[in-house]
Amino acid sequence: MHEETAPDISYLRLLRRIADRWRLVAIVFVAFALPVTAYALVFIPKTYEAVAKIFLEDPRRVSAGLMRDWMPTSDASFQLAILKSRSLAEAVVENLPRETTEELLARGMHRDYLLDARNLTRRIIGRESIVYSPQQRAVTELQTARVTFNPLPSGEVEIRAIAYSPRVAMDLANTYVDVLQTRSRSNIRDDARASREFIENLLNQTKASLQESEDKLAKVSRGRSLKLADRSAVDAAQVSQLENSLAEIQGTKEVAKVRLANLKGKDASGKPLPQAAQQQVLRRLGQLQEKLAVLQEKYTDGHPLVRATQAEIKDTQAMLAAGPQPAPDRAPVPQFGAGNRAAAAKQIADLEQEISALETREEIVKLRLARLSQNLSNFGTEEMEAAKLRQTVEAQRNLYTTLSEKLGTLRIQEKGEDRGLRLIDLAALPQRPSSVPAMKVMLLGMVGGLVLGIGLAGLIEYFNQAMETEDDITAATGLPVLGWLPTIRSDRPDRGAEREPLSFIDRFAPNTLPIEACRSIRVSLLSLQRNQDVRTIMLTSAGPGEGKSTVVLNLSYVFAQAGRRIVMLDGDLRRPSLNRPLRLPVKPGLAEVLASDLPLEAALQPIKDGLQLLAAGSTVGADPGVLLSADNVGRLFDLVKGHADVVVFDSAPVLAVADNLALASMVDAVILVVRAGVTQRHDVVRAKAMLDKVGAPVVGAVLNRVSPRETRRYYRSYSGYYGIEEGTSSRRRLRSATSWWPVGQRSEKAG
């Protein structure tokens, strides 16, 4: 006994079967999409959309040099974060006209279903519902449903506002622009004022330090010219250079520590930054100014060393201009998303690595400086002190000049505008409603209808599990597949009471693929005779319309072609069909032979030499189940075996009626016909179980009407072997048909 196993789903074939159900998909799509489209066009309220445009300048696009200091810009990503922040939305709500605020509260586009569910739960358990204030509701409505921001690659940002009234839409977009500009101006001026105050204090300290250094130099010199010897001067120059390098390294380290402290929100000790850090930055700036002066004496401004030194000077000046931390009463900095937090973490790690490298360089420079200082220990202290004081005075003078220029820049910035935020267009009054909401609903309906249709077709095909290949039949029933027949297109009906089996010889030459497929089935049946005598063969199927009559007709032909005496017996007494393609009468036939004493010879209708038909006959007034009883079938076998070597029975579907179950238990072989892509797995299993229950000798199955796709895939070269394709000309078809049986004889029998 064959044990049924779970089928292996071929998802590629499943997709193909879903595509074959395109009519079902189209019906479901139209049935779902049309009502949704009608709802979108009729019931969705009209909305209006207003668009304002601003431009956010990226600081990286501003040209370097002196003009950059005179063109202050704010970070574009920072401005965009402010645009999306809740604090700006609250400020916008406070500045909206009264009628605009009333629409936000009265006709909300956003509904918080989670809040509704929470309030329902709270009411059930007897607690008070959560109710937000009008301002909170207006801010939520503004951020979630009314205003969107669309950044463009060019730097422009579109502020799109949606409302039920054209005036309200315009007010929403323009109020956002006004509030953003006001806040941006305030931030720029606050930053410039804080930087100016810091530079003024730093300038005063530098001026006092410069005066003190000049007094010390005058006191040491006392009008004398204190100079070192040549070799000592070289060593002193190296010492001075190393001291400058040390100061530069220490200044860079302090700047890195300050940046690290800013990213972490405090310095390494958690206390305000010490004054020594500022002095280190000042000293580094002085050294860089001196280094730049020396390089400019040797090279042009385009030299890489000059440009690199200028870039370092600008970084140090930017550090000095950063000033102290913002006061506590300043507006809070917006919190950014996970991407910015990851970037900040990477910057912190890079700074920590940079500080570690600078500390290593600092130790190396200190060791070299100690060795050179040991060499200069024998020279006069006054000469050494004078040389250092001259260098300090020169650096402080350069720093004083730089700070004076920067102070003038900051004073202009404090009174100026933010050039990083520019207004392109204010929102105009919308002239016509927006089609976007209706289009979104219609698109949703179309997508939903398509998904629903494909899903329904997929479910049907998944649970139906149609038999498509020989492996499917074997896996479901354990039966070997004796052969297969391709799909042949015909204009004659193959279902219902008027169905007509397809005769391959009426359409093809003798050596085409369909005929050869029938010969292959004949060879498979003849191989069974090595173990048993197969003289009576019955073809059946699980349901109607699966092509068993077509298999009977063409299989009988190829048996007769092999020289066997064949009797085709139409055992489907309810819907006989074998006589139709042969244009022969349906009676007298099997019913008359079984119900009366009509001789078998009188009911047999010759077709050609060695091939005869016993039609179904007329069952008027008789029950097919009674006619096909075991006694009648046994008597019929005794009669018909004397007139044929092989008897081929056409029977009724097993699952439709039980007429032929007695016949199935008495024949030598039963063949189950399965229609590819149509017959369902569970039907085949049930039919096989019913035949096994009555003891029918089911020897195999035939896969009928294999799709052209599968035929081309597996058997493309088969028909070409004979040089004859399926598309045979009409002349050759006619010649094949006339060789089958005489037309005059057919007409005479039909009459």
Side-chain angles (χ1 to χ4, degrees), residues 195-207 407:
S195 299
R196 175 183 57 77
E197 293 173 355
F198 174 73
I199 295 298
E200 285 178 347
N201 294 332
L202 199 58
L203 188 62
N204 293 332
Q205 295 175 9
T206 304
K207 183 177 181 181
L407 182 61

Side-chain angles (χ1 to χ4, degrees), residues 634-649:
R635 184 168 57 86
L636 175 66
F637 280 2
D638 294 337
L639 294 175
V640 76
K641 285 182 179 180
H643 293 77
D645 299 327
V646 178
V647 181
V648 182
F649 291 88

Side-chain angles (χ1 to χ4, degrees), residues 210 286 290 389-399:
L210 177 60
E290 182 179 359
L389 286 173
R390 289 191 189 96
Q391 183 180 1
T392 302
V393 168
E394 185 65 25
Q396 289 179 344
R397 284 175 180 171
N398 293 335
L399 178 59

Side-chain angles (χ1 to χ4, degrees), residues 13 16-18 20-21 461 464-470 472-473 487 495 546 674-681 684 703-707 709-710:
R13 296 210 318 258
R16 289 203 301 262
R17 295 202 302 268
I18 291 174
D20 291 338
R21 289 188 176 269
E461 291 297 335
N464 282 344
Q465 299 175 8
M467 300 287 100
E468 286 190 320
T469 64
E470 299 175 2
D472 294 340
I473 298 174
T487 296
R495 287 178 177 272
E546 299 189 13
V674 178
R675 181 169 175 176
V678 175
T679 306
Q680 308 303 317
R681 177 187 177 90
V684 174
L703 186 62
N704 186 35
R705 300 194 67 172
V706 176
S707 67
R709 177 175 56 246
E710 296 294 333

Side-chain angles (χ1 to χ4, degrees), residues 415-436:
K415 298 179 181 180
E417 300 291 334
D418 180 15
R419 298 190 180 183
L421 173 63
R422 306 179 190 179
L423 175 63
I424 303 299
D425 283 321
L426 284 173
L429 191 69
Q431 300 299 318
R432 59 178 61 88
S434 173
S435 60
V436 173

